[in-house]
Amino acid sequence: MAELAQAAGSVVITLATTPFRAERGRMVNARAGIQRLRDRTDSLILLDNNRLLDLVPNLPVEQAFAVMDHLIGEVIKGITESITVPSLINLDFSDVRSILQAGGMSTVFYGENAEDNTQRLVSDTLNNPLLEVDYRGANGALIHISAGPGLRLRTAHEVVEGLTAAMRPDANVIFGVRVDRKYDGILRVLAIMTGVRSPMVDAVRESVSIADVVSDRSSKSSIENEFPRTNRRR
């Protein structure tokens, strides 16, 4: 699907979740998928299920996975609304295209805090990625800020400056600002950084392929045929 969309001229953004470390064998499948997607998408955003163990370890399982679903929804909503909803500082499709087509590995940062504490907001946002990444030297960032009517330009600039301080000097940074009364006294930030590094993605080698996964599955087929199981997890 990503390949067809790219061939049609679309900007292709792929969001994928990675397995828990305890699932072991599924990581082989995941790495093969990551390897294939990297060449067929403009921006690959990986969300690591293991981060749920840090963010919401004590929530019931169903609620914990709902957190990941919510964050995925926020990413998609944030990207689309940054283009379609009128803002104080607007982004357009060409802005989004120029950032995301810089390509490479991407990650999402999400944060929310009081409007009068920008340093805490920046710190919480950067220390709360959904994947273990090194964002130093990132080559692009799309930043969307939502705030109440009292937002000052200096405050918005401090947030953007703090989030991008460790990026490359020539990084392409574009930000938008939406003012909404429901965010009165609150700053909410959604940032997508491109050109980041991830230990998990760096560990993906050319030797990991779909053929390896298929071969591994076929070796188990005789056992599964002899002892069929029901209610398999998707």
Side-chain angles (χ1 to χ4, degrees), residues 41-205:
T41 185
D42 295 302
S43 187
L44 173 60
I45 300 173
L46 293 179
L47 308 176
D48 188 1
N49 274 327
N50 292 287
R51 299 298 294 176
L52 294 175
L53 298 174
D54 300 323
L55 298 174
V56 287
N58 298 318
L59 280 183
V61 172
E62 186 175 358
Q63 292 181 32
F65 281 113
V67 170
M68 181 64 81
D69 292 340
H70 173 73
L71 291 172
I72 292 173
E74 285 294 322
V75 173
I76 297 171
K77 181 180 177 183
I79 294 172
T80 55
E81 286 190 350
S82 66
I83 304 171
T84 59
V85 178
S87 300
L88 182 64
I89 301 177
N90 283 302
L91 300 175
D92 58 29
F93 183 71
S94 62
D95 294 330
V96 176
R97 180 188 290 272
S98 66
I99 292 293
L100 297 182
Q101 284 194 329
M105 174 65 197
S106 304
T107 195
V108 181
F109 296 89
Y110 181 87
E112 187 173 310
N113 213 312
E115 186 176 315
D116 60 356
N117 197 346
T118 56
Q119 289 186 348
R120 178 66 181 274
L121 173 65
V122 169
S123 176
D124 288 351
T125 302
L126 291 176
N127 290 325
N128 191 29
L130 301 180
L131 180 67
E132 183 183 357
V133 296
D134 182 359
Y135 57 83
R136 294 170 299 175
N139 59 26
L142 184 69
I143 301 170
H144 194 262
I145 301 172
S146 298
L151 176 68
R152 295 177 301 170
L153 179 60
R154 167 177 263 179
T155 300
H157 183 264
E158 286 176 356
V159 171
V160 175
E161 192 172 49
L163 291 173
T164 60
M167 296 178 64
R168 290 173 47 173
D170 60 345
N172 188 11
V173 178
I174 299 175
F175 76 98
V177 177
R178 178 173 305 118
V179 171
D180 191 321
R181 292 189 180 277
K182 70 180 179 181
Y183 296 114
D184 192 24
I186 297 173
L187 283 177
R188 190 180 75 167
V189 177
L190 178 72
I192 299 176
M193 290 190 185
T194 61
V196 299
R197 295 180 63 85
S198 165
M200 190 191 75
V201 175
D202 290 344
V204 176
R205 298 182 173 85

Side-chain angles (χ1 to χ4, degrees), residues 27-37 204 208-210 213:
M27 186 56 72
V28 177
N29 300 36
R31 287 177 173 172
I34 291 169
Q35 182 175 303
R36 298 186 73 199
L37 279 170
V204 176
V208 181
S209 67
I210 293 298
V213 176

